[in-house]
Amino acid sequence: MSQFELTRTLPEDATGAALRADVLHGLTRTPKILPPKWFYDARGSELFEEITRLDEYYPTRAEREILIARAPMIAAATRASTLVELGSGSSDKTRHLLDALPGLHSYVPVDVSGSALTGAAEALLGERPDLRIHALIADFTAGLVLPDTPGPRLVVFLGGTVGNLLPDERSAFLTSVRALLAPGDALLLGTDLVKDEAVLVRAYDDEAGVTAEFNKNVLSVINRELGADFDPADFGHVALWNAEQEWIEMRLRARRALTAKIPELDLVVHFAAGEEVRTEVSAKFRQDGVRSELAAAGMELTHWWTDEANRFALSLATAV
């Protein structure tokens, strides 16, 4: 029999409260910042899907190449009965792992969007009627309690999304993942790799301007949810490589001096001409660095796979 269960661990207004807190904190500090998670309303998700199909944006293709080639090895190394996916979204790439795990009992997708979880589950159950799906509406960066499903468990975090976390946030996140792992469980982590600056910048500043629209979508989200009056046309899209930190930064740069009102926060935000808001950090990694960060969180890197062009990596780690 097919089985689908949806559990909410986030309060109903958790998303709205988090948005208000992030915008108030981020736009009243210097320099201004906004977290990248607020790109992803329905329109933002559509734009990101479009980005993944762009010639310039290689990470999605590279990661899928690894999954297709290495899924049988991942399955053999983990023998997972439960697959837990953090930030599951449409669960599209996960299908390669689901196909490779013959003894899989349960799939636990975790996302903040209930509609995304339900839509993905319906599609998966149409293909795999015996799969048990226990979906969690949860923020995986704020502590997570997993349902009682059989082990071994394979926790996966794909897409290079771990690079959107700052180093301290990444350390806390990996430590929280380690706390989820029992003996015999494993973590599969996707990381984009350090490479030529021009290749990296093009991936975040495509000729068609899709990433620019995606970047500016955060302003549309704030307008809709908080009654703000930002005009996205007042801001330019900036993508640059920070060589010292080895990460890409996306920013919005004010084209002129301007003022924006955010009634829901009783806030007026002033921008000087040329002033920037950092909207995303996307760290790029080296194998030794990934190994060290996993070790600091109490995990051991046991397998490392890259695509043929060595652009992206999947690493498998176990608890120590």
Side-chain angles (χ1 to χ4, degrees):
M1 290 289 292
S2 64
Q3 182 178 340
F4 172 55
E5 184 175 351
L6 181 66
T7 301
R8 173 182 288 275
T9 63
L10 280 178
E12 288 288 345
D13 188 42
T15 301
L19 174 63
R20 291 190 292 273
D22 285 346
V23 172
L24 181 61
H25 168 72
L27 295 187
T28 57
R29 54 159 282 166
T30 303
K32 295 178 172 66
I33 60 171
L34 289 169
K37 64 183 177 182
W38 302 119
F39 293 140
Y40 294 96
D41 62 351
R43 177 57 181 157
S45 296
E46 290 174 0
L47 286 168
F48 184 71
E49 287 300 314
E50 189 174 343
I51 287 169
T52 65
R53 295 189 291 270
L54 294 170
D55 288 342
E56 296 98 328
Y57 193 80
Y58 61 85
T60 303
R61 293 189 300 275
E63 186 176 52
R64 182 174 286 111
E65 177 189 323
I66 305 167
L67 282 170
I68 291 171
R70 305 300 185 181
M73 299 179 190
I74 295 167
T78 62
R79 302 186 182 277
S81 293
T82 295
L83 180 64
V84 180
E85 183 174 12
L86 307 179
S88 55
S90 66
S91 301
D92 179 50
K93 287 180 288 190
T94 322
R95 284 170 164 80
H96 302 298
L97 291 173
L98 294 173
D99 289 341
L101 289 163
L104 191 68
H105 177 277
S106 299
Y107 174 49
V108 182
V110 182
D111 205 281
V112 296
S113 171
S115 59
L117 288 166
T118 300
E122 289 174 350
L124 286 173
L125 288 173
E127 304 164 9
R128 299 168 175 83
D130 293 329
L131 183 64
R132 292 170 176 83
I133 300 179
H134 191 139
L136 297 180
I137 303 174
D139 181 352
F140 57 78
T141 65
L144 190 63
V145 177
L146 295 177
D148 185 17
T149 56
R153 287 171 168 165
L154 173 59
V155 179
V156 303
F157 192 36
L158 302 176
T161 308
V162 71
N164 295 145
L165 303 175
L166 296 173
D168 287 349
E169 296 170 334
R170 222 161 46 232
S171 175
F173 166 73
L174 291 173
T175 300
S176 72
V177 171
R178 168 62 183 86
L180 299 175
L181 302 182
D185 294 347
L187 166 68
L188 184 69
L189 182 66
T191 50
D192 196 8
L193 302 179
V194 174
K195 59 184 67 64
D196 181 74
E197 177 180 350
V199 173
L200 287 165
V201 171
R202 279 197 302 271
Y204 293 83
D205 193 11
D206 60 279
E207 288 188 10
V210 182
T211 310
E213 186 179 351
F214 175 68
N215 193 8
K216 294 180 184 184
N217 192 60
V218 70
L219 301 177
S220 300
V221 170
I222 296 170
N223 285 348
R224 184 184 65 247
E225 300 298 328
L226 302 181
D229 62 355
F230 285 103
D231 183 350
D234 284 337
F235 292 83
H237 167 67
V238 178
L240 58 86
W241 172 241
N242 184 323
E244 181 180 355
Q245 299 291 344
E246 293 194 325
W247 64 41
I248 284 283
E249 293 185 15
M250 289 209 314
R251 304 175 182 176
L252 292 172
R253 179 181 293 160
R255 300 185 189 277
R256 59 181 179 84
L258 60 94
T259 298
K261 300 180 181 65
I262 309 178
E264 285 290 318
L265 300 178
D266 193 24
L267 180 66
V268 176
V269 185
H270 301 282
F271 292 84
E275 186 175 358
E276 295 176 341
V277 184
R278 192 182 72 193
T279 53
E280 182 177 84
V281 159
S282 184
K284 308 306 171 187
F285 296 88
R286 302 175 189 270
Q287 184 176 359
D288 287 346
V290 174
R291 186 187 306 277
S292 296
E293 292 194 31
L294 289 168
M299 291 178 280
E300 180 183 5
L301 177 64
T302 60
H303 297 77
W304 175 267
W305 298 289
T306 69
D307 64 302
E308 187 173 351
N310 201 38
R311 298 168 298 178
F312 198 94
L314 288 180
S315 53
L316 193 67
T318 57
V320 295

